[in-house]
Amino acid sequence: MLRNKHAFTSFVTLASCALLAVGTAAQIQAADKADPSGTWTWKTPGRKGGEGRAVTLKLKTEGEKVTGKLSTPGRQGGEARETDIEDGKLDGSELSFKVTRQFGDNKVVQKYHGKVSGDTIKGKTESDRNGEAQSRDWEAKREEKK
């Protein structure tokens, strides 16, 4: 009888440790997963050293899928242009999406990659301009919820 009681106690202890380990792993994984949902802003450099232009990015996350809109002001104070993001993905804290804009006969695709860390996204944007690859850094800050 004592031997069976000892085996049962060992089993319960082992099962408890296993559940604790699984729970801890799930908490660590959840902590590693960023949530970029919200409104983000940054400035892009101006042409020929001019004043930068404010960019607004609104994101919504559902699992690994990210949707949203990127808004840029029009040139010389013109009306803001809002564009849907495409192929939005979140892998842990790594965010990626692209934006396709049409300017007359020119179609421009910008690919965004960044790492979400708290209320900051830092990364690179890549595009092709006149057959030449362009790359620049971007850093967005999350706006406080109103």
Side-chain angles (χ1 to χ4, degrees), residues 42-64:
W42 71 96
K43 283 199 172 207
T44 60
R47 286 189 170 189
K48 299 178 185 174
E51 187 177 336
R53 298 181 331 147
V55 177
T56 302
L57 176 64
K58 294 182 180 179
L59 297 176
K60 182 179 178 185
T61 309
E62 293 177 24
E64 293 181 354

Side-chain angles (χ1 to χ4, degrees), residues 78-107:
E79 191 174 323
R81 183 180 199 135
E82 195 170 75
T83 309
D84 289 329
I85 69 167
E86 305 165 25
D87 302 329
K89 295 178 189 151
L90 182 64
D91 184 6
S93 62
E94 297 295 324
L95 172 69
S96 64
F97 61 91
K98 69 180 181 179
V99 176
T100 303
R101 294 191 192 101
Q102 191 80 28
F103 302 98
D105 292 338
N106 297 326
K107 182 175 168 180

